[in-house]
Amino acid sequence: MDRIENQLLSAPRNRLYLAAVAAIVGALFLWSLQAVNLGDIEQSGLGIAKNILHGLTHPDPALLFNLTKQSVLYLLVETVAIAFLGTIVGAVLAVPLAFLAASNLVPKPVSWLTRLLLIAIRTVPALVYGLMFIRVTGPGAFAGVLTVGLTSIGMLAKLYVDAIEELDARVLESMTSIGCTAFEKIRFGIVPQLLSIFLSVMVYRFDMNMREASILGLVGAGGIGAPLIFAMRSYKWDQVGSILIGLVALILIIEFLSTRLRTKLVRG
């Protein structure tokens, strides 16, 4: 213990460097304060803020606990369904793309072209995909499922590729030496190594898709987003409070369950 303390005390301390960093951070903070203009806050704005806070802390219990199609519970179930089905669609479609993008399994040109396709898929925001699918299928949950599925492909395939490229090559080499076919290599050599990793990545993506499915309702792609924005535009802050309470509770439950499931998959 004394040796560690002596090493810490004897370590050189660059006070000039720390002072320079602190001065730069302080200058940036003061400069950013110029964007704060409290003079623009009107008396009516303070009243609106008070109404918002009151509505969020006094939610509408009728909206929160009834079982109609306009209730928070029904909308949350629809949001979970959109996120779940979209994750399944994206996870299935990402598998062949991941194998085509893995440089240790396919020729380099094929791998590069597939990676460019995945980058292009990841570049477009989810709301843009949502607006495109709404034009094709019309507003509703189906457009949300397609949007979540397409946005999931890019990230899932990228993580799949990382897992594939870290495979134990000795297993494949030994299977080649005994004359196994390509299908047998995938079925008995690759899939057992990747299955738990793929499932863990899917669970993680489902957790993310829950948030995206909530936002997609803003453009009419089903879920709880549309009622939330309608309530905000109508200044019905008690309904906004009910929706946010249900959404936060659902996100916390899914976060807890997904964390435990990913832990078991990684350990197992």
Side-chain angles (χ1 to χ4, degrees):
M1 196 69 181
D2 294 336
R3 183 183 301 175
I4 296 176
E5 292 180 0
N6 292 333
Q7 289 179 350
L8 291 174
L9 294 175
S10 61
R13 297 183 180 181
N14 196 340
R15 297 182 184 275
L16 181 61
Y17 172 77
L18 295 176
V21 171
I24 293 173
V25 173
L28 291 174
F29 177 75
L30 294 175
W31 176 68
S32 64
L33 287 178
Q34 296 178 0
V36 180
N37 188 2
L38 298 178
D40 292 338
I41 300 179
E42 301 177 356
Q43 189 66 29
S44 59
L46 294 175
I48 293 174
K50 181 179 178 181
N51 292 334
I52 293 174
L53 183 62
H54 182 271
L56 295 178
T57 54
H58 296 78
D60 183 3
L63 184 65
L64 193 59
F65 296 111
N66 69 56
L67 299 178
T68 64
K69 288 189 176 182
Q70 287 75 36
S71 67
V72 172
L73 182 60
Y74 178 86
L75 294 171
L76 289 177
V77 172
E78 184 180 60
T79 304
V80 173
I82 292 173
F84 179 77
L85 291 177
T87 304
I88 297 298
V89 171
V92 172
L93 295 179
V95 172
L97 291 174
F99 280 101
L100 290 174
S103 58
N104 60 335
L105 297 179
V106 298
K108 293 288 185 181
V110 176
S111 173
W112 291 342
L113 289 175
T114 309
R115 287 173 185 263
L116 286 176
L117 175 62
L118 295 176
I119 291 173
I121 292 174
R122 292 198 303 269
T123 302
V124 181
L127 290 178
V128 176
Y129 282 130
L131 292 171
M132 292 167 57
F133 281 121
I134 285 173
R135 293 291 183 181
V136 177
T137 65
F142 184 54
V145 172
L146 295 178
T147 303
V148 172
L150 186 56
T151 55
S152 299
I153 290 175
M155 173 190 166
L156 288 173
K158 183 180 184 301
L159 296 177
Y160 287 174
V161 170
D162 294 338
I164 293 171
E165 292 183 341
E166 293 177 0
L167 285 172
D168 188 355
R170 293 173 298 179
V171 176
L172 300 180
E173 292 173 357
S174 62
M175 296 183 72
T176 303
S177 65
I178 61 176
C180 292
T181 63
F183 176 78
E184 290 172 339
K185 291 179 185 178
I186 295 174
R187 172 62 182 87
F188 300 103
I190 295 177
V191 172
Q193 296 186 62
L194 297 178
L195 184 59
S196 62
I197 300 175
F198 280 13
L199 291 176
S200 177
V201 171
M202 286 175 55
V203 173
Y204 177 67
R205 182 64 203 185
F206 171 71
D207 192 11
M208 297 178 61
N209 284 340
M210 269 303 304
R211 294 161 177 80
E212 287 199 0
S214 304
I215 298 172
L216 288 175
L218 301 179
V219 296
I224 202 168
L228 176 60
I229 194 65
F230 291 155
M232 293 177 67
R233 288 176 178 175
S234 304
Y235 303 106
K236 298 178 180 178
W237 300 113
D238 55 340
Q239 295 184 9
V240 174
S242 299
I243 294 173
L244 290 179
I245 287 174
L247 192 57
V248 169
L250 179 64
I251 293 296
L252 290 176
I253 293 172
I254 291 178
E255 177 74 21
F256 173 75
L257 295 176
S258 64
T259 301
R260 295 197 63 179
L261 184 56
R262 286 201 309 270
T263 302
K264 290 184 178 180
L265 289 172
V266 172
R267 291 178 179 176

